[in-house]
Amino acid sequence: MVTLVIILFIITIVIICRWYLSRVHSSLYWCWDNGIEEKRIFIDTNKISFPENFLWGTAAASYQCEGPGDKAPVASNWSEWEPAGIKNGQRCGIAVDHYHKYKEDIQLMSTLGCNAYRFSLAWDKIEPIEGQYDEDILAHYHDVLKELHRQSIIPMITFHHFVHPLWFEQSSGFLESSNLEKFVRFSVDMFREFEDECHLWCTINEPEVYVSGCYFNGIFPPGHKAQPNEASLVLQHLLQAHIDVYDSIKTIARQPDQHSIGIVKDIFQFDPCNPLNPLDLYASHILDYAMNGCILDFFRTGHLKWTMPGSVQRTYTNLRAPHTNDFIGLNYYSHFLVQFNLFKKPPFEIVHRHDDSGSALMTDMPYPLYPEGLYRACVRLKNELSRIPIYITENGIADRFDDRRHLFLRRYLYALSRAINEADCDVRGYFYWSLIDNFEWAEGFDMKFGLYDVDLQTQQRTLRDGSKYFQYVIQKHREKYEKKKL
């Protein structure tokens, strides 16, 4: 009798576990049709729709695409980091010379049908010497904005996208609290300079990615690897700087309600590799909270609580925080599966799910296609930061052979459409990363994110076949609303 009870108990546990796993699997992974699996449910990725005034654009960072322009290269935290810190000892150099080819590139945006462009101001070129602005560089950005308006493309400006002048880095950058006022002063001055030409502003790009690259894995300058206490302090300072920039701009703006300001938050979900393993659950929760949850909590409550095993717990309170985002810029690419591993230091590793699609679902970066995560990220922002509009400020794929980009665009735009139409997420625009191939930070020029391929020798731009679906979606979107007006 006892044996029978034990057997029934084990069977019951197995059934419950299988049911739980099926529920988890169905919520995290949709049944995409790959053309070879008869049992999969077919998802018609053509069934998508977006709001009438939706922004369609591309995104870029000045350092990654511009080059030095007409003057000798200026020194920045990244120029000093090269080539030792870059894959295969590469240097950015002139990148793809967007500085000189901006008119041509803006025409490419227009050809695609884009009506928006997110770009960053090159703080290193604008202020190569502390307190001295280069008027020629400022005039260049006025010309860029003039051309964007001529082509009916709405600009979105980012103040800090990973790069700053060397003098700022040499004074300890965002690690030193007294430096925050220097960044705030630069941002406010740039707002004054371009106030009449731009109405969408991003303060800081991906603070947690900057922190991770600089102070955890050491692949960004200054390369302080495994320094969680420095990381948490810099994160606090970046969030503080965002608030100060927001409040300062709203104070000086002639028409503050006409200007929307937000921080750009990257979300990579950290999911347990095995949802039934409590150690995987714990490790994934710790990582997700440190990289995502604590920042979202801060902007919801005004209280930052950062914690990581083996480091000092950091707390910071600023009750202005919940009132300092007119929108949230969401950068989304993929997710990570976390597996606890006692023999690793730290005691976890990132793994990837394998299914019938095999390596075809991997990008050239070390993460998979995961469109479901874009839906999840939008819903999370809606739930945790309610009533704050969202712009997808980055989303793209590294695809050297252009054999997954079409699939990527179909699936991610389908997931975004579901977030808007089924989950009622207030998403107001989508910026693909990026228009043209560029210098992908520590990876150099090896990662091909561009809708347009670039020959670095001739600087010739060529539209990739996989990019044409993006152009097609924008065209269909516009035709839909033009027909309604008729």
Side-chain angles (χ1 to χ4, degrees), residues 445-463:
F445 292 103
D446 291 359
M447 296 298 156
K448 307 298 183 182
F449 277 92
L451 294 170
Y452 284 84
D453 171 62
V454 179
D455 184 321
L456 293 177
Q457 299 299 318
T458 66
Q459 293 294 326
Q460 182 177 351
R461 280 85 159 123
T462 305
L463 182 65

Side-chain angles (χ1 to χ4, degrees), residues 87-106:
K87 187 176 180 180
N88 299 323
Q90 299 177 72
R91 290 186 181 274
C92 182
I94 67 168
V96 289
D97 200 21
H98 179 65
Y99 188 94
H100 291 114
K101 290 181 168 292
Y102 71 90
K103 288 186 178 181
E104 175 185 335
D105 291 339
I106 292 171

Side-chain angles (χ1 to χ4, degrees), residues 152-223:
S152 299
I153 293 175
I154 296 170
M156 175 185 278
I157 286 177
T158 305
F159 293 125
H160 189 273
H161 198 131
F162 297 166
V163 179
H164 45 248
L166 184 60
W167 59 260
F168 186 78
E169 181 78 359
Q170 290 175 335
S171 62
S172 297
F174 289 104
L175 192 59
E176 175 57 54
S177 61
S178 62
N179 285 336
L180 300 189
E181 64 183 28
K182 300 173 184 178
F183 170 66
V184 174
R185 182 257 307 154
F186 167 77
S187 302
V188 171
D189 285 350
M190 293 305 99
F191 174 81
R192 285 195 178 102
E193 182 75 26
F194 302 109
E195 179 178 5
D196 295 332
E197 299 162 274
C198 182
H199 298 276
L200 291 171
W201 308 87
C202 302
T203 54
I204 295 167
N205 182 74
E206 301 179 342
E208 75 295 337
V209 174
Y210 177 82
V211 162
S212 177
C214 294
Y215 302 99
F216 275 119
N217 52 36
I219 62 172
F220 287 9

Side-chain angles (χ1 to χ4, degrees), residues 227-263:
Q227 297 296 323
N229 294 331
E230 289 186 351
S232 61
L233 181 59
V234 170
L235 178 61
Q236 174 189 319
H237 287 165
L238 289 170
L239 298 178
Q240 181 180 338
H242 162 79
I243 294 170
D244 292 346
V245 169
Y246 181 95
D247 285 342
S248 298
I249 287 178
K250 290 294 186 177
T251 298
I252 68 166
R254 292 189 295 272
Q255 295 180 297
D257 292 341
Q258 298 299 311
H259 294 274
S260 293
I261 307 166
I263 199 166

Side-chain angles (χ1 to χ4, degrees), residues 18 27 46 50 56 65 98 115 174 212 237 263 272 286-287 326 354 357 362 409 415 444-445 473:
R18 288 180 63 86
S27 65
N46 286 318
F50 299 90
W56 295 100
C65 65
H98 179 65
N115 59 0
F174 289 104
S212 177
H237 287 165
I263 199 166
I286 290 293
L287 289 170
D326 300 320
H354 297 284
S357 301
M362 291 296 293
L409 286 164
F445 292 103
V473 169

